[in-house]
Amino acid sequence: MPQSRKSLTAVAGAATLALTLALTGCSAERISPESVREAADEKAGGAFGSVDCRDAKCIALTFDAGPGPYTAELLDILAAEEVPATLFLLGKKHIDTYPELVVRAAEEGHELANHTWTHPRLTEVDRDEVRDQLQRTNEAIEELTGQTPTLMRPPQGRTDDTVAEVCEELGLAQILWSVTAKDYQTTDSDLITERVLDQADRDGIILLHDIYEGTVPAVPGIIDALKADGYTFVTVSQLMAPGVPEPGKVYR
């Protein structure tokens, strides 16, 4: 694809996300992975992946709203490709239905994160419900894996100052995205692949869903194309190392 078209696609995606965030009423600054790394020193404590993303061309592959019926296939692909991912897990009918996949994902080195219990728009519920949605999911993941998530993704990217405050109290940084395939709109795996590759850039955070029919079949092509273009896949936390994302703050 011509660079000009790729740039226009990325700008359009960023503008859409910016408008969505503006409408939610969150006053928090959106922080880039690069700025986290630049602000950190070697004692900051962030764990590196296979590379140092201050030097390497890194990108993070993330999946929302699983585990589900396609997650086992996804994990097979990621294992074969030796690619780590960050999985933003949903509670009801997901964690509680596929607990063995949560355990497997943890054992295979993927980063497990929080996507709420029932996927409400957190900006439309009260503070106690925000807390319950996040705390219940954290507890379910911890019970299964012994790991307590430090990252969350608000459903639909909708956040506000109340959500930020509750996340800070619970030790959760808010992770948005810079690349979206809008895979909830299509089952066309080739189109999903094209949309991701059009927007991919260094330090990108790719948003996909492992609950839709067309998404997981697109993953091998996405991985192969990005590897061929010199990218190294890391988790969201590894993308920011040696920095560490701070609870309550918003990253993309």
Side-chain angles (χ1 to χ4, degrees):
M1 154 169 299
Q3 181 63 35
S4 58
R5 182 180 166 194
K6 179 175 180 179
S7 299
L8 287 172
T9 303
V11 169
T16 300
L17 181 56
L19 176 59
T20 300
L21 293 171
L23 293 174
T24 65
C26 183
S27 61
E29 176 189 4
R30 277 73 189 172
I31 305 167
S32 70
E34 181 182 14
S35 65
V36 178
R37 296 194 303 263
E38 288 178 348
D41 59 33
E42 296 298 336
K43 298 179 181 179
F48 293 101
S50 58
V51 296
D52 184 337
C53 294
R54 293 172 297 187
D55 301 320
K57 186 179 176 183
C58 294
I59 199 163
L61 195 55
T62 76
F63 295 87
D64 281 11
Y70 307 114
T71 304
E73 181 184 356
L74 171 65
L75 293 176
D76 289 344
I77 292 167
L78 296 176
E81 296 283 356
E82 298 183 333
V83 166
T86 301
L87 309 180
F88 290 88
L89 303 179
L90 199 59
K92 187 175 182 180
K93 298 183 180 179
H94 294 272
I95 292 174
D96 58 4
T97 302
Y98 303 95
E100 73 284 356
L101 294 180
V102 178
V103 173
R104 178 185 168 187
E107 290 177 345
E108 293 182 0
H110 301 293
E111 182 169 38
L112 305 187
N114 190 321
H115 197 45
T116 75
W117 191 256
T118 62
H119 205 266
R121 295 177 178 177
L122 294 179
T123 55
E124 298 178 6
V125 299
D126 64 26
R127 180 184 293 266
D128 288 344
E129 178 65 11
V130 173
R131 175 179 290 277
D132 183 67
Q133 286 283 333
L134 296 174
Q135 193 161 29
R136 188 173 182 183
T137 306
N138 261 18
E139 289 171 353
I141 293 170
E142 183 176 14
E143 183 177 353
L144 287 169
T145 68
Q147 302 176 16
T148 302
T150 59
L151 308 179
M152 64 83 72
R153 176 170 284 153
Q156 300 182 7
R158 294 174 182 261
T159 186
D160 59 18
D161 292 339
T162 298
V163 175
E165 290 166 6
V166 173
C167 285
E168 183 176 6
E169 293 166 7
L170 295 177
L172 292 166
Q174 302 183 74
I175 307 299
L176 301 183
W177 58 88
S178 59
V179 178
T180 174
K182 296 185 178 180
D183 53 348
Y184 49 84
Q185 295 179 338
T186 180
T187 59
D188 186 336
S189 299
D190 290 339
L191 179 58
I192 291 169
T193 301
E194 180 183 354
R195 287 174 173 176
V196 170
L197 299 182
D198 284 349
Q199 300 170 60
D201 208 347
R202 182 173 181 173
D203 293 334
I205 299 175
I206 300 170
L207 167 62
L208 293 169
H209 299 77
D210 51 322
I211 58 170
Y212 298 128
E213 181 180 353
T215 301
V216 171
V219 172
I222 291 170
I223 291 173
D224 289 347
L226 291 176
K227 281 184 175 179
D229 199 23
Y231 286 94
T232 298
F233 289 91
V234 293
T235 67
V236 169
S237 291
Q238 291 167 350
L239 188 63
M240 302 189 194
V244 178
E246 296 183 34
K249 293 190 176 180
V250 181
Y251 300 85
R252 58 160 298 214

